[in-house]
Amino acid sequence: MSGQAENGMNWTADTENGHYRREANCTVLTPLLFLKKASMASPERTAIVYGNVRRNYRETYRRCCAYASALNQRGIGQGNTVAIIAPNTPALYESHFGIAMAGAVINPLNIRLDAKSLAQQIEYGEACIFLVDPQFAEVARAALSMVRRQVLVIDIEDPAYAPDIRVGELTYEELLAEGDPLFDWALPSDEFAPISLSFTSGTTGMPKGVVANHRGVCINAFSQLICWNVQQYPVYLWTLPMFHCNGWGFAWSIAAKSGVNVFMRKFDPERAATLILQEKVTHLCGVPIVYDMLLKVFLLKGLQLSHTVNGIVGGAALSVSTIKDAAQVGLELVHGYGLTETYGGPALFCYKQEDWSELPLMDQARLNARQGLVSLGVQDVAVISDLETMTPLVADGVSVGEVMIRGNAIMSGYFKDEKATDAAFAGGWFHTGDLAVMDPDGYVRIVDRAKDIIVSGGENISSMEIEVVLLSHPLVEYAAVVAKPDSVWGEVPCAFIQLRSEQVVSEMDILEHCRKHLAGFKMPKAIVFGVLPRTATGKVQKHELRRRIADFPAEQIFAA
Ligand code: ADP
């Protein structure tokens, strides 16, 4: 045998040996099994805490089985959309499982929508059932008067909310009572079957319907559990609206670890702080403003966490002070980046390197405020400098490229919009529309949404760069910068500023501060003080600011 390798198995012809995908080694990936398995492994463990309501995994699973069975009995299953408008309540949670276990698609609607937009989304999403929380009874009634489809309306009862207004023929508990709690529901025959339809919150305009599939949701959950510090039996506080991108997928993921879901109808920082301490919350997620409000309560009351609380912050750019405050309170905050199209993700995760902890707090905060490292978890992320040649960006912390993602937790596509889907997936990558730089250590910093970049006199200006400078002014609480069309420069940057409570600052003071940190062409040409308009998820509505600034009196625009 000398010098010759012994003939091994012929791997190229491996399928001839019967080694291929079969029923025994490949079953559908779906998050619905997380709940079933939790009900078997941890039947007595608490799944839901909501005011006085506490339900364990056995009860919760049985309620979801009954839900699915009742829907099937009413002829609702594969190919049907079930819309729901509700804050973070057990009914919305159960809908994420019950509707999907019936084979149908959950369509959680934004709780801030007006009647006309609600009606449009019910029509567009082709909902045949609409579940309504009593808080939204009036707006739902008004919406339904504009809907031409036949829709079965179901009222969710909630003893924690008064008045109890009914708009439908049936209540949620009556529906569940129709079903069989031991129902043997069917797995989807195809893991790519749709599970959810989410309309994006529209920070950039008209919402698109993002379709999520069973496989993607399941793999997204694995990714979250790989990347984040989630032990068995976490206690998850719902500070993120579940209607938004299924609460970044956590509506399903927490069941994979038999975790407790602690609900609040509305985010109230005082109540959230109390629940964190009382229920020994271990995990939560939210956009930066949610943490700012929560941390303020802890800091004002001098509270310190005595148990480990992990928080993912994302959805919008993060200020260094949020990270600093979190460190002071003892909250383990990690920055993530994702989109509804990537199941919330995070697709980028800002892992903390061990040696960062030796740095001064402000330096640590600066490093942690970056969106994170590419290609962790289950997605591949690339920052591309030239879309024609797909050239990767040089990691010099200065050059700008577009963030692209591909992997197994990417939406199926936009509902009934093949053109938009094709455009979003062009070249085999999902185009995020976000622009970023990459630091030499490989960490990505989002500098702007492509739509938000300001082009002034042929120069690109990052709105976020100006926002960071404004936020470093001690009296500025929140800041947002948008472009105003300008006959000379094309566009000029204009700043909207929300001051810390009861503070007064002059425009001149703000300009003085900016001048110390910004080049002349990046200086804001108008400053408007006031409360920033936000989406239901807490993101600033820049399209609304653009509308406001378009009508701004010309004499109040500073000379460029
Ligand atoms: P929309 O806000 O359009 O409804 P999403 O909720 O899916 O849609 O928001 C995704 C967008 O939010 C991203 O494209 C990006 O612009 C922004 N975003 C998400 N996470 C971060 C982050 N950590 N830092 C900065 N921007 C972020």
Side-chain angles (χ1 to χ4, degrees):
M1 296 298 296
S2 63
Q4 273 241 298
E6 194 174 340
N7 265 348
M9 199 163 91
N10 181 0
W11 288 104
T12 52
D14 199 30
T15 50
E16 285 164 21
N17 298 309
H19 299 175
Y20 48 79
R21 189 189 297 207
R22 299 187 191 204
E23 223 175 309
N25 62 23
C26 185
T27 60
V28 292
L29 289 171
T30 168
L32 303 182
L33 290 174
F34 298 158
L35 185 64
K36 184 175 184 177
K37 292 183 181 184
S39 79
M40 285 153 49
S42 327
E44 302 295 336
R45 283 219 160 245
T46 305
I48 281 172
V49 173
Y50 176 56
N52 297 328
V53 177
R54 267 169 206 264
R55 287 197 197 106
N56 64 28
Y57 267 100
R58 182 191 295 111
E59 292 168 293
T60 302
Y61 179 60
R62 288 186 177 179
R63 283 172 65 82
C64 294
C65 288
Y67 194 163
S69 144
L71 289 177
N72 281 173
Q73 282 171 38
R74 284 180 169 265
I76 305 301
Q78 210 177 326
N80 296 127
T81 308
V82 178
I84 175 165
I85 184 160
N88 288 348
T89 56
L92 181 54
Y93 175 82
E94 290 164 350
S95 294
H96 275 82
F97 289 96
I99 294 170
M101 282 154 67
V105 174
I106 179 175
N107 177 208
L109 298 174
N110 187 329
I111 57 175
R112 288 247 195 115
L113 290 182
D114 58 15
K116 193 165 158 233
S117 313
L118 265 184
Q120 275 169 352
Q121 296 193 0
I122 290 169
E123 288 278 7
Y124 188 71
E126 301 176 17
C128 52
I129 295 194
F130 182 29
L131 291 110
V132 180
D133 178 273
Q135 189 182 339
F136 305 98
E138 293 300 356
V139 69
R141 195 198 306 275
L144 286 161
S145 71
M146 293 179 242
V147 171
R148 288 180 303 280
R149 309 176 48 78
Q150 193 65 29
V151 181
L152 171 68
V153 181
I154 297 175
D155 290 300
I156 302 167
E157 312 92 316
D158 189 345
Y161 187 82
D164 183 13
I165 309 167
R166 306 271 159 110
V167 280
E169 298 98 279
L170 187 73
T171 71
Y172 178 64
E173 292 301 328
E174 285 164 358
L175 176 80
L176 263 54
E178 289 176 5
D180 174 5
L182 302 178
F183 179 50
D184 188 15
W185 52 279
L187 286 172
S189 50
D190 180 349
E191 62 191 15
F192 266 96
I195 188 168
S196 163
L197 170 65
S198 292
F199 291 104
T200 58
S201 63
T203 43
T204 52
M206 188 54 201
K208 291 194 191 114
V210 174
V211 178
N213 60 61
H214 283 255
R215 180 174 191 272
V217 167
C218 190
I219 291 181
N220 183 56
F222 297 156
S223 186
Q224 288 170 332
L225 302 175
I226 292 168
C227 293
W228 203 19
N229 180 21
V230 187
Q231 77 285 17
Q232 192 67 356
Y233 314 130
V235 181
Y236 186 83
L237 179 65
W238 275 95
T239 41
L240 195 71
M242 207 189 300
F243 78 78
H244 180 77
C245 182
N246 315 107
W248 296 350
F250 283 100
W252 293 290
S253 313
I254 292 302
K257 289 277 184 180
S258 302
V260 184
N261 293 274
V262 182
F263 294 112
M264 279 183 288
R265 285 187 66 85
K266 183 174 181 288
F267 174 72
D268 166 6
E270 295 265 350
R271 176 95 187 109
T274 307
L275 286 170
I276 288 175
L277 299 173
Q278 245 171 31
E279 301 292 335
K280 293 261 176 293
V281 167
T282 58
H283 292 78
L284 70 154
C285 293
V287 292
I289 190 171
V290 162
Y291 287 98
D292 290 342
M293 289 159 78
L294 180 63
L295 293 167
K296 203 179 271 175
V297 173
F298 275 88
L299 291 170
L300 281 176
K301 296 191 171 179
L303 297 172
Q304 188 70 27
L305 288 166
S306 57
H307 68 284
T308 306
V309 182
N310 298 278
I312 299 182
V313 58
L318 179 58
S319 79
V320 168
S321 67
T322 308
I323 297 191
K324 199 175 74 20
D325 290 350
Q328 205 168 323
V329 169
L331 196 149
E332 270 298 321
L333 202 59
V334 54
H335 190 189
Y337 158 92
L339 303 90
T340 306
E341 288 88 336
T342 66
Y343 296 81
L348 289 171
F349 211 69
C350 190
Y351 272 95
K352 296 176 187 181
Q353 300 296 330
E354 273 164 335
D355 53 354
W356 292 358
S357 61
E358 287 150 27
L359 299 170
L361 196 56
M362 275 314 269
D363 292 340
Q364 284 185 44
R366 234 169 253 125
L367 293 171
N368 285 320
R370 300 178 297 174
Q371 279 70 16
L373 278 172
V374 299
S375 302
L376 292 168
V378 297
Q379 308 271 42
D380 274 346
V381 184
V383 189
I384 300 298
S385 65
D386 182 335
L387 298 185
E388 288 284 304
T389 55
M390 292 299 277
T391 310
L393 188 73
V394 183
D396 59 6
V398 185
S399 313
V400 176
E402 182 175 347
V403 180
M404 310 272 202
I405 308 177
R406 75 169 158 210
N408 294 293
I410 303 277
M411 65 165 177
S412 296
Y414 295 116
F415 189 56
K416 298 196 290 198
D417 197 343
E418 204 176 334
K419 212 168 133 212
T421 306
D422 287 347
F425 289 161
W429 288 84
F430 168 61
H431 299 232
T432 65
D434 287 316
L435 303 177
V437 299
M438 192 186 277
D439 283 342
D441 61 357
Y443 283 72
V444 171
R445 276 187 290 129
I446 304 286
V447 289
D448 228 330
R449 278 188 164 189
K451 292 187 184 80
D452 293 339
I453 211 100
I454 301 159
V455 186
S456 193
E459 297 283 351
N460 284 349
I461 306 175
S462 151
S463 62
M464 277 168 67
E465 183 188 345
I466 307 174
E467 286 160 11
V468 167
V469 168
L470 292 166
L471 284 170
S472 67
H473 188 290
L475 301 184
V476 172
E477 178 124 54
Y478 302 111
V481 173
V482 294
K484 177 176 169 45
D486 183 273
S487 55
V488 178
W489 300 99
E491 290 179 339
V492 288
C494 296
F496 286 79
I497 291 175
Q498 187 172 332
L499 295 172
R500 293 189 187 279
S501 56
E502 289 161 29
Q503 301 292 340
V504 187
V505 179
S506 70
E507 284 171 352
M508 283 310 131
D509 187 26
I510 297 287
L511 289 176
E512 200 51 46
H513 174 77
C514 289
R515 208 162 281 130
K516 287 186 205 142
H517 304 279
L518 291 173
F521 72 103
K522 294 181 183 174
M523 291 284 290
K525 300 299 178 290
I527 292 176
V528 185
F529 293 103
V531 176
L532 299 182
R534 290 183 184 267
T535 66
T537 47
K539 295 190 190 192
V540 175
Q541 289 174 309
K542 285 201 168 175
H543 63 93
E544 168 60 17
L545 297 180
R546 275 185 210 106
R547 197 191 56 73
R548 288 186 195 174
I549 202 71
D551 303 333
F552 202 66
E555 62 275 13
Q556 288 184 37
I557 305 288
F558 313 127

